């Protein structure tokens, strides 16, 4: 069965430090990959997406993610975290055939 | 461009009562999704519509949940009767195309069942 794993339930980083959030998926075919952010009381906002082509994708708010086929991973990175980045981050995968799955999320706390 | 609209934003009901949520997707988006997000978990797809037809409702508890998308635009999700475990945020999303298409999310409806 298809699945999306975000192994880190909660991460705490200092403001200005670098960030990496992990995401792994299990499925034979190459999926379409997404990272969403959810601030308290808000809906989900798309940070970036990968459909094909360059495996390093740039998103909004200074985020980037790299698709590694050999590791079935799509980790999210940011070189310098801002206090406003504190939120819940969700990795999601979509497949042709109308299937779409979310990970369980990683909660990010930013220390001043 | 207007985003996905949902109402109400909050709802508190007693168990065994009924409740309905409304969603208006982005204009021109053929695909509409309803998700259930329980506190501390990722969104779980309940039902997916392509225009006014159901594409996937495999995770919809059909004994108590129902959804419709008349005319292929607005959609309503109903719970009857509600249980305590239905307390969650119900998210509506829409996309131009299904599967690989980017989904745009509404703000959600937070349901509390007492």
């Amino acid at each position: 069965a298809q699945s999306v794993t975000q192994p880190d339930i909660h991460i705490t980083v200092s403001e200005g430090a670098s960030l990496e959030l992990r995401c792994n998926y299990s499925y034979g075919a190459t999926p379409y990959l997404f990272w969403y952010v959810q601030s308290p009381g808000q809906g989900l906002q798309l940070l970036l997406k990968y459909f094909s082509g360059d495996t390093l994708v740039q998103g909004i708010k200074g985020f980037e993610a790299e698709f590694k086929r050999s590791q079935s991973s799509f980790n999210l990175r940011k070189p310098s975290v801002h206090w406003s980045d504190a939120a819940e981050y969700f990795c999601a995968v979509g497949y042709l055939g109308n299937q779409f799955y979310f990970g369980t999320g990683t909660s990010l706390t930013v220390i001043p | 461009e207007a985003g996905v609209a949902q109402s109400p934003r909050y709802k508190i009901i007693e168990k065994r009562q009924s409740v309905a949520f409304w969603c208006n997707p982005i204009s021109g988006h053929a695909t509409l999704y309803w998700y259930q997000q329980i506190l501390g978990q990722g969104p779980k797809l309940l039902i997916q519509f392509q225009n006014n037809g159901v594409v996937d409702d495999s995770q919809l508890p059909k004994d108590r949940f129902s959804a419709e998308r008349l005319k292929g635009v607005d959609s309503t999700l109903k719970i009857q009767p509600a249980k305590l475990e239905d307390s969650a945020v119900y998210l509506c999303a829409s996309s131009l195309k299904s599967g690989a298409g980017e989904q745009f999310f509404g703000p959600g409806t937070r349901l509390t069942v007492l």
Side-chain angles (χ1 to χ4, degrees), chain B residues 18-79:
Chain B
S18 302
V19 65
F21 312 127
W22 174 82
C23 173
N24 185 14
I26 293 173
S27 178
H29 281 195
T31 309
L32 185 147
Y33 310 79
W34 281 104
Y35 290 88
Q36 180 192 58
Q37 185 177 19
I38 293 173
L39 186 64
Q41 299 182 17
K44 182 184 81 171
L45 180 67
L46 292 176
I47 189 167
Q48 177 184 341
F49 292 95
Q50 182 74 15
N51 297 307
N52 61 349
V54 175
V55 173
D56 182 358
D57 63 357
S58 57
Q59 298 195 85
L60 187 73
K62 299 179 185 63
D63 58 334
R64 299 184 298 107
F65 286 65
S66 64
E68 61 182 10
R69 192 185 183 195
L70 301 177
K71 302 181 181 179
V73 182
D74 293 7
S75 176
T76 56
L77 176 69
K78 297 179 181 178
I79 307 175

Side-chain angles (χ1 to χ4, degrees), chain A residues 7-112:
Chain A
D8 304 306
I9 296 174
H10 186 252
I11 285 182
T12 300
V13 298
S14 299
E15 191 168 17
S18 63
L19 171 70
E20 182 170 27
L21 303 182
R22 296 182 289 167
C23 173
N24 293 91
Y25 64 92
S26 63
Y27 192 64
T30 299
Y32 301 92
L33 300 159
F34 308 83
W35 274 99
Y36 284 87
V37 61
Q38 186 176 37
S39 299
Q42 304 294 316
L44 286 93
Q45 180 185 22
L46 182 70
L47 285 175
L48 46 78
K49 59 190 176 186
Y50 172 79
F51 285 177
S52 64
D54 191 348
T55 56
L56 182 63
V57 294
Q58 302 296 321
I60 62 172
K61 303 183 180 184
F63 285 92
E64 66 177 27
E66 185 172 12
F67 169 56
K68 293 185 177 180
R69 185 189 307 273
S70 61
Q71 298 176 20
S72 298
S73 70
F74 189 57
N75 294 349
L76 181 71
R77 301 193 294 249
K78 186 170 185 177
S80 178
V81 171
H82 188 263
W83 65 266
S84 60
D85 293 325
E88 189 86 16
Y89 291 81
F90 293 95
C91 179
V93 298
Y95 299 93
L96 293 176
N98 310 316
Q99 298 149 328
F100 201 85
Y101 303 92
F102 279 89
T104 52
T106 297
S107 177
L108 175 65
T109 297
V110 181
I111 298 174

